[in-house]
Amino acid sequence: MAVGGLKFARLGRLGAPFADDGAAVRTAWDDGEGLPEALTQRIGADGPHFVPQAELPPGTAYEQFIFEAGQVPTRENLHDFFNALCWMRFPRTKKRLNELQAAEIAAAGIQAVRGPVRDACTVFDENAALLHAPDRLWDALARREWARLFGEMRPLWRQAQLLVFGHAALEKLVSPYKSITVHVWRVDAPWVDPRTLDAWLADDLKPAKLAAKPFVPLPVLGVPGWWPANEDPGFYADPQVFRPLRREAPAQ
C-alpha cells in the first residue's frame, strides 16, 4: 500500500522533525516494500522491530506485546507510519510510555475503562504537542485568552518552540482542517535537537504527573506561521474552535 502521495512539504514546520526519516521509508513503501520491513531496516539497532499487525496474538494487549516482545505491530496505513516515525525520532519517550502502560496493565489488568495513567499515556501518544514558551504566552494559553495569545502576543511566538508529537495528530495534519486540536505538554527548557528533547521528556513522564493530566488544548493551525489563513484576525473569531475556558460552577 502506497503512502498515498504524502508530502512532508505539505506539513511545513509541522512535519520537519520527521521529514528525513519519513522520506526514506516512504520511498521504499511506495516501491512496494512492506511498511514494517521498510521501517525496521531504517531504525537504529536500539529501536524496536516493526512487524505486521497479524503477529499480535489474539487477546493480547498491544502495549503488553510491545513490552514483552520488543516488536511493534504495524498496519499498512498512515496512522502506524507516523507512530513508527515517532519511535524513530523519540525512542526513549516511546519506550517510557510503553513501560508505563505495561506497568498499569500488570497492576490492574485490562479493564473496560483505562485508569488515569493509561488514559493520559494514550492521549499523549496519540495527540500531544510539546511547547516551550515564555511564561506570559503559556499563561494566556492556559486561560484560553485567544485574542491576546494570537493578537497582541503574536510576536512572542518567535520565542517559543512547538513540536507535534502525537501520531494521530500528525496523520490529521496531512489533510489539515481548522479544528485540529492538540493536547499541549509544557517543556520547561528549550531543546537543541530531538535527542535532547527525547531524554528530557522520558524523564518527565511520571505517573503522578500524567494522572493529573496537565494538558492544555491548542487549535494548532492557529499558531502564527503554521497556517496562512491565520494571518487574518477573523480566523480566530470562531468559538466552536477557539473555545473559552469553562469555569467551575460555585459550590452550593
Side-chain angles (χ1 to χ4, degrees):
M1 177 180 176
V3 181
L6 172 64
K7 302 293 186 183
F8 276 88
R10 289 178 59 194
L11 292 174
R13 291 165 60 183
L14 300 166
F18 307 99
D20 291 341
D21 294 329
V25 173
R26 186 192 70 196
T27 297
W29 196 15
D30 282 342
D31 287 344
E33 190 172 342
L35 181 57
E37 294 79 8
L39 291 161
T40 297
Q41 290 177 18
R42 288 158 181 83
I43 196 167
D46 294 334
H49 282 190
F50 298 92
V51 297
Q53 181 72 16
E55 296 195 21
L56 176 64
T60 301
Y62 170 81
E63 294 290 350
Q64 189 66 31
F65 179 78
I66 295 173
F67 181 75
E68 293 176 351
Q71 298 176 331
V72 181
T74 303
R75 299 163 296 183
E76 302 275 340
N77 61 27
L78 280 178
H79 187 86
D80 286 9
F81 171 76
F82 280 115
N83 180 50
L85 294 189
C86 290
W87 271 104
M88 295 171 79
R89 299 302 287 167
F90 299 99
R92 294 177 64 173
T93 300
K94 292 286 283 188
K95 184 178 180 181
R96 175 63 173 160
L97 288 166
N98 178 249
E99 290 170 347
L100 290 166
Q101 292 265 21
E104 292 294 310
I105 291 171
I110 301 296
Q111 305 292 332
V113 178
R114 294 186 180 99
V117 174
R118 283 198 70 207
D119 185 49
C121 284
T122 300
V123 169
F124 192 103
D125 199 23
E126 296 277 348
N127 207 53
L130 312 172
L131 176 65
H132 169 69
D135 289 342
R136 289 178 53 227
L137 191 149
W138 178 263
D139 292 343
L141 173 61
R143 296 187 180 108
R144 322 293 198 269
E145 295 175 347
W146 307 115
R148 290 186 61 238
L149 184 68
F150 297 123
E152 68 177 80
M153 300 178 71
R154 199 172 183 86
L156 205 56
W157 281 94
R158 299 191 191 102
Q159 301 177 34
Q161 290 174 281
L162 178 64
L163 182 144
V164 177
F165 176 94
H167 55 280
L170 286 165
E171 181 188 13
K172 292 175 184 176
L173 287 162
V174 172
S175 300
Y177 53 91
K178 184 177 182 179
S179 61
I180 295 173
T181 299
V182 295
H183 290 70
V184 175
W185 183 276
R186 188 175 191 181
V187 179
D188 291 337
W191 62 85
V192 177
D193 53 42
R195 181 176 296 181
T196 302
L197 178 58
D198 188 29
W200 181 91
L201 194 56
D203 184 64
D204 195 48
L205 291 172
K206 296 180 170 62
K209 184 172 182 178
L210 281 158
K213 294 185 179 177
F215 301 109
V216 177
L218 171 65
V220 71
L221 294 185
V223 175
W226 283 39
W227 193 242
N230 74 36
E231 294 296 326
D232 179 357
F235 181 85
Y236 302 103
D238 185 345
Q240 296 303 309
V241 175
F242 298 95
R243 300 180 180 183
L245 181 65
R246 290 193 300 181
R247 303 294 180 182
E248 294 287 339
Q252 299 295 321

